[in-house]
Amino acid sequence: DIGYEFLHECHQIPDFLDNYIDYEKFGEELKKHIVDFAKADDTLVHVSSFVIVDNVVYCVFSASKDTAVEDATKYTSRLQYCDLDNPDKITHIDLCSVGDTFNGETVTAVCDSAIFQKNQRTLCIWHTLKTKEYQMVYYTFDIITKELSDRQLCTFGYGNMKKDFSISGMESVLDSIGVEHKFSNTDICLMQKITSYKTEDDIYYYTGLGLLNFCSVIRTKDFINWEYVSKPPFLHNQFWEPICYVKNDILYYYCRQDHRSDRCGFLCTYNLKSNIWGYPVKISDCQSRADFFEYENTLYLLHAPKDRDHLCIKRVDERNLSL
């Protein structure tokens, strides 16, 4: 009813070499890590997120000692930190492992995690775990005392409705507001990129939420209680990991699609004042995780057009996304 064409009919940005900015230099820099947080006996680490506070870097990710294949039934979610002046002295804290208990039930899977600085002395950490169903849990970490809180359940809501941040809780909220969704008991992918937007009354923090083909924008004021915002209204086949970035009154949104149907992601905008989505453009993507970042007041999109060994940095023209 808003007149959008099918996404496969939309403009696709050509994959020219000048989309790649200093790509050889960038590739060399990626080979020179600052800190390696993996333990010697880790066979796989997955989906890292970090913050730096007073020259100390705090990092979370999932790790496995049993397999080099992505397998959530083998993971431990872990917090690590070290002083950047002494990167060899790392403190490792296991947050949650398969076999632990949560609310009296056995944890059977541990998935994606993220970390954010909540205030001057508090970090907020969250990750997905599965007992009977997938749930999003959080911890707080005191930067001064280095004390970690107990594991607690986040909430998910809309307006005055608030439920557990779980598969059943999300289904209840989305059903109540008439948002179509199709997802089963699957991992809850809460993206690590957080950007803020100030209204007259509050500061909200926005990010992307992915559950297989249901991908949307959510927001929070405290990194514990999350609220559904919107999802793209045009036809698409997005898959897992929508990335968001707020600049001025505009939220920029990029998400890969199922590569079996379309080896392109799509880039579009959402106006936070009018609540209107902009027209999407397609960008080559191999179905990998993307990211936005800002440098000298210019917005860039980092994505993988060919495969996960080749990255592209594209300037985002805020006046015309198709350029």
Side-chain angles (χ1 to χ4, degrees):
D1 59 346
I2 55 177
Y4 285 159
E5 299 174 346
F6 294 101
L7 187 57
H8 63 74
E9 298 173 344
C10 294
H11 175 81
Q12 179 172 344
I13 297 175
D15 190 20
F16 293 139
L17 187 61
D18 40 350
N19 279 340
Y20 296 76
I21 304 168
D22 292 335
Y23 58 95
E24 291 181 341
K25 179 181 177 181
F26 180 58
E28 289 301 314
E29 289 177 345
L30 287 178
K31 298 177 182 178
K32 304 172 184 177
H33 65 262
I34 299 172
V35 182
D36 185 357
F37 281 112
K39 292 183 178 180
D41 56 350
D42 286 338
T43 57
L44 178 141
V45 294
H46 186 57
V47 187
S48 62
S49 174
F50 72 93
V51 295
I52 299 175
V53 183
D54 296 331
N55 207 48
V56 176
V57 56
Y58 301 86
C59 180
V60 294
F61 54 70
S62 298
S64 175
K65 295 178 172 58
D66 299 326
T67 178
V69 178
E70 293 181 19
D71 185 349
T73 67
K74 306 290 185 181
Y75 285 157
T76 292
S77 183
R78 190 189 300 152
L79 165 67
Q80 299 88 179
Y81 60 89
C82 71
D83 193 303
L84 287 174
D85 293 330
N86 190 10
D88 294 326
K89 187 179 180 181
I90 300 173
T91 298
H92 302 273
I93 300 174
D94 287 350
L95 299 172
C96 183
S97 299
V98 171
D100 290 354
T101 59
F102 178 58
N103 289 341
E105 298 177 342
T106 301
V107 175
T108 58
V110 175
C111 299
D112 297 355
S113 55
I115 187 170
F116 198 83
Q117 184 177 1
K118 187 174 182 179
N119 54 44
Q120 285 295 102
R121 64 178 294 171
T122 306
L123 303 179
C124 195
I125 303 163
W126 59 92
H127 68 80
T128 302
L129 61 79
K130 180 183 179 184
T131 54
K132 292 181 180 177
E133 63 176 344
Y134 278 95
Q135 304 165 79
M136 183 66 65
V137 299
Y138 76 93
Y139 314 75
T140 56
F141 183 80
D142 191 305
I143 296 171
I144 306 300
T145 65
K146 300 297 188 287
E147 292 180 350
L148 182 72
S149 73
D150 292 335
R151 185 184 307 131
Q152 299 180 67
L153 189 60
C154 297
T155 71
F156 183 86
Y158 184 84
N160 295 323
M161 173 174 279
K162 184 184 292 186
K163 299 289 184 180
D164 291 343
F165 202 151
S166 63
I167 295 296
S168 60
M170 285 187 289
E171 287 179 329
S172 178
V173 171
L174 297 173
D175 285 340
S176 71
I177 59 177
V179 175
E180 183 180 355
H181 60 279
K182 294 179 181 178
F183 52 80
S184 56
N185 193 10
T186 187
D187 180 23
I188 302 168
C189 179
L190 187 65
M191 298 298 287
Q192 292 94 337
K193 176 52 60 75
I194 301 280
T195 46
S196 63
Y197 181 70
K198 187 174 182 179
T199 66
E200 293 182 359
D201 302 317
D202 292 295
I203 296 177
Y204 286 95
Y205 299 89
Y206 286 76
T207 191
L209 174 69
L211 294 94
L212 287 178
N213 300 112
F214 181 82
C215 300
S216 63
V217 179
I218 61 174
R219 68 180 186 178
T220 182
K221 290 188 285 187
D222 58 12
F223 308 105
I224 296 168
N225 302 288
W226 298 84
E227 179 181 8
Y228 172 80
V229 176
S230 186
K231 66 183 180 72
F234 42 81
L235 295 179
H236 55 266
N237 195 17
Q238 58 184 344
F239 198 72
W240 269 133
E241 296 168 339
I243 191 74
C244 303
Y245 194 94
V246 176
K247 187 176 181 184
N248 300 321
D249 297 322
I250 303 299
L251 180 143
Y252 294 85
Y253 182 98
Y254 178 81
C255 192
R256 68 192 194 186
Q257 294 189 94
D258 190 335
H259 69 284
R260 294 167 295 186
S261 62
D262 197 334
R263 290 186 60 85
C264 286
F266 63 88
L267 173 66
C268 59
T269 58
Y270 178 72
N271 190 302
L272 295 173
K273 284 193 170 181
S274 65
N275 301 322
I276 294 176
W277 287 86
Y279 198 84
V281 296
K282 293 168 63 175
I283 298 177
S284 296
D285 197 285
C286 74
Q287 195 177 323
S288 186
R289 182 168 289 214
D291 196 9
F292 285 114
F293 65 91
E294 196 172 352
Y295 179 69
E296 294 184 345
N297 201 36
T298 299
L299 184 62
Y300 295 89
L301 172 67
L302 176 70
H303 68 108
K306 180 180 178 182
D307 55 43
R308 293 187 175 187
D309 294 324
H310 294 79
L311 298 178
C312 173
I313 301 177
K314 174 178 171 47
R315 294 187 186 95
V316 177
D317 191 312
E318 297 169 30
R319 297 164 298 177
N320 186 350
L321 296 184
S322 64
L323 297 179

